[in-house]
Amino acid sequence: LVMVFYGSNGKSNPVSMENKVEHQAKNQITYDIYLPSDLGTLYKVRLGPPSLENSISQLSPCRFKMQNTSTLDTFSLTINKTLPLSLNGDRWIEFPIEWPLKEALSVVTYHLTVFSRDILSERNLLYMTACIYGTHGDTGDRSLLWSLQNVQQGQENESFLVTVDAVELGELDKVVLLISSKTDCKVDIKKLHLKEAVKEHPIYVFEVNETFSVNANKSEIQREIPVSFVIRGDKQKNDIDNNLHKERSETRNLTEYTIKVYTGDQRGAGTDANVHIILFGNEDKSEVFQLSQSLEHQDPFERGKVDTFKITTKKIGSLHSIEIGHDGKGF
């Protein structure tokens, strides 16, 4: 198993639970683990297998207790839940960290509704995950096709519901989709609706409107989908209808650009910083775009590599210049 820790300053890489110290009792095991020192105040943990290929029998952890060996800070994690390690199941569980005299975040069930075409007929060959991001971190990659509910199929469109249990994320801001397949196919995704299961509102709407050409011999497709708008209740129905009309109107006035970045082939040419771009036209300028989701490489801007990015912005007229730069972070 591995654990991912979330703190006020970010999250850790997966932390392996291999360094077993001792069996203190029949149902209790102690491990030594090492975390980055700059995570800040920890607030949640995700637990699961290191990859989907790992086959592990079911595990029912009851409680975690952790102590910082330097500061002697101690916190406990009450779980009492069976880790859902079935092959096709959601293989992660999350739980909040319970600090003394501090209110912990709660675990929430989210309902994610996918509106699409062609997915249900291909679902046995497809592998699709979604990582949901909010002000309180992210869910990690969660399978979209292992537990379909409320499946509806029509001539033109289809939809299905997926449940995701996670420590509450706060205000949601984006979803990152990963799509791959055992065979060549096309997948048409219209939009995503996301809300807490026990609440009618707010409903976060993520407009996708893209047909993905999935190739069995190529790497998985990754798309970052920002929230388009939020439906906050019946009292705002007229405003929402107006927003939908406005969204459709604005969609017709959008332009997609393909950007290729050629990183120099000499020592120190690459960067780990966050790269941004702004486009300037004779009518307007674009918003600031972060060039983070390369179509070729998971880690963009490496020495001697070419990275392709697609961005969609309002019409700015004839392009005459760009601004490109980064925030100076990393190497």
Side-chain angles (χ1 to χ4, degrees):
L1 295 175
V2 296
M3 303 174 79
V4 179
F5 292 84
Y6 286 74
S8 54
N9 296 334
K11 68 177 182 179
S12 72
N13 291 323
V15 177
S16 174
M17 297 176 63
E18 293 180 342
N19 190 13
K20 191 180 300 182
V21 179
E22 59 180 325
H23 282 268
Q24 292 185 325
K26 181 179 179 182
N27 294 320
Q28 184 173 324
I29 306 173
T30 302
Y31 299 86
D32 274 348
I33 62 174
Y34 299 90
L35 298 183
S37 60
D38 58 352
L39 288 181
T41 302
L42 301 177
Y43 65 87
K44 84 168 180 177
V45 177
R46 186 185 305 128
L47 175 68
S51 70
L52 288 173
E53 287 73 30
N54 286 83
S55 178
I56 308 174
S57 59
Q58 285 193 331
L59 173 68
S60 298
C62 299
R63 188 171 180 83
F64 274 69
K65 183 179 179 181
M66 292 189 60
Q67 184 177 59
N68 184 319
T69 56
S70 299
T71 64
L72 301 184
D73 283 341
T74 302
F75 61 80
S76 60
L77 311 167
T78 302
I79 305 171
N80 291 325
K81 184 176 181 180
T82 299
L83 195 62
L85 290 175
S86 59
L87 180 61
N88 297 318
D90 188 356
R91 297 161 70 83
W92 290 99
I93 57 172
E94 291 191 356
F95 34 87
I97 289 176
E98 301 169 1
W99 288 96
L101 305 178
K102 187 173 183 179
E103 185 177 0
L105 296 173
S106 58
V107 176
V108 172
T109 298
Y110 289 96
H111 278 177
L112 174 63
T113 304
V114 181
F115 297 85
S116 63
R117 291 180 61 189
D118 311 320
I119 289 182
L120 294 174
S121 59
E122 303 279 359
R123 65 178 182 238
N124 292 327
L125 300 172
L126 277 173
Y127 172 61
M128 283 184 59
T129 66
C131 182
I132 307 164
Y133 288 79
T135 52
H136 296 156
D138 60 76
T139 61
D141 294 334
R142 304 298 188 95
S143 173
L144 292 186
L145 300 176
W146 72 274
S147 176
L148 307 186
Q149 304 173 40
N150 293 5
V151 176
Q152 299 181 25
Q153 286 185 278
Q155 289 185 339
E156 293 295 325
N157 295 300
E158 61 193 21
S159 66
F160 57 89
L161 174 68
V162 180
T163 59
V164 175
D165 291 333
V167 173
E168 60 179 296
L169 293 165
E171 285 286 323
L172 307 182
D173 53 34
K174 67 178 180 180
V175 172
V176 175
L177 294 176
L178 290 175
I179 307 172
S180 60
S181 176
K182 298 176 183 177
T183 184
D184 295 353
C185 63
K186 291 185 180 295
V187 175
D188 188 345
I189 301 179
K190 302 296 184 185
K191 60 182 177 179
L192 310 174
H193 281 191
L194 190 57
K195 72 179 190 70
E196 293 185 26
V198 296
K199 298 179 181 179
E200 289 297 321
H201 299 94
I203 300 173
Y204 294 83
V205 180
F206 300 81
E207 296 280 3
V208 184
N209 295 318
E210 184 172 353
T211 301
F212 300 92
S213 297
V214 189
N215 189 315
N217 298 319
K218 291 186 178 180
S219 59
E220 60 191 3
I221 295 173
Q222 179 173 315
R223 287 290 186 277
E224 181 177 305
I225 316 297
V227 64
S228 301
F229 56 91
V230 182
I231 302 173
R232 298 198 180 274
D234 292 339
K235 64 181 180 179
Q236 295 181 336
K237 187 176 187 304
N238 291 334
D239 291 340
I240 291 160
D241 289 341
N242 291 336
N243 286 339
L244 284 170
H245 179 76
K246 183 180 177 182
E247 288 282 336
R248 294 191 186 103
S249 176
E250 289 178 348
T251 299
R252 289 193 292 268
N253 293 313
L254 296 178
T255 303
E256 182 179 80
Y257 290 89
T258 299
I259 300 169
K260 286 187 177 290
V261 180
Y262 297 77
T263 304
D265 191 10
Q266 55 184 315
R267 185 177 181 183
T271 185
D272 295 327
N274 299 305
V275 177
H276 74 269
I277 192 170
I278 306 173
L279 312 183
F280 296 85
N282 62 352
E283 297 177 13
D284 204 345
K285 72 174 184 177
S286 75
E287 56 268 52
V288 180
F289 289 96
Q290 298 296 323
L291 299 181
S292 57
Q293 305 298 328
S294 169
L295 300 184
E296 286 91 2
H297 307 107
Q298 188 170 357
D299 189 11
F301 311 117
E302 292 295 295
R303 172 180 171 178
K305 301 292 186 180
V306 180
D307 293 285
T308 305
F309 304 88
K310 286 187 179 294
I311 64 171
T312 301
T313 185
K314 58 192 174 184
K315 289 189 180 298
I316 60 174
S318 298
L319 188 66
H320 63 72
S321 62
I322 67 170
E323 173 190 308
I324 187 163
H326 62 67
D327 59 5
K329 292 183 178 179
F331 177 71

